Amino acid sequence: MPRYLFFPVIVLSLIGCNTDTPKTSTGRTERETDSVIGQSKVPGAQGVKRAMDAQDSARARAAAIDTAAAQDTQ
């Protein structure tokens, strides 16, 4: 890799790995904003709510799998 590309690649990869939860201009997290949209009566709100429910379900399933795997190794 050319030397002049090394620094920008490192900087961009570190920015992409940022673990801070970004907040919108209202001070809410993206999840809080999506929750407000999901509870509203705007077109597409039910789709947002269903997507959040699916994400919650997948997160709970992954946590259960992690717990089971941790118990198996003990």
Side-chain angles (χ1 to χ4, degrees):
M1 177 184 302
R3 195 168 229 188
Y4 62 91
L5 289 178
F6 183 73
F7 184 70
V9 168
I10 296 297
V11 169
L12 290 175
S13 64
L14 290 175
I15 290 171
C17 296
N18 187 1
T19 59
D20 292 338
T21 304
K23 297 209 176 211
T24 61
S25 61
T26 60
R28 294 185 175 136
T29 62
E30 186 174 349
R31 180 158 180 86
E32 291 168 338
T33 303
D34 289 346
S35 178
V36 170
I37 292 170
Q39 294 171 2
S40 69
K41 297 192 183 296
V42 297
Q46 288 300 314
V48 172
K49 180 162 176 25
R50 287 187 189 123
M52 289 180 63
D53 291 343
Q55 181 184 26
D56 292 342
S57 176
R59 185 175 290 138
R61 193 175 321 118
I65 290 170
D66 289 346
T67 302
Q71 291 175 352
D72 287 344
T73 59
Q74 292 178 0

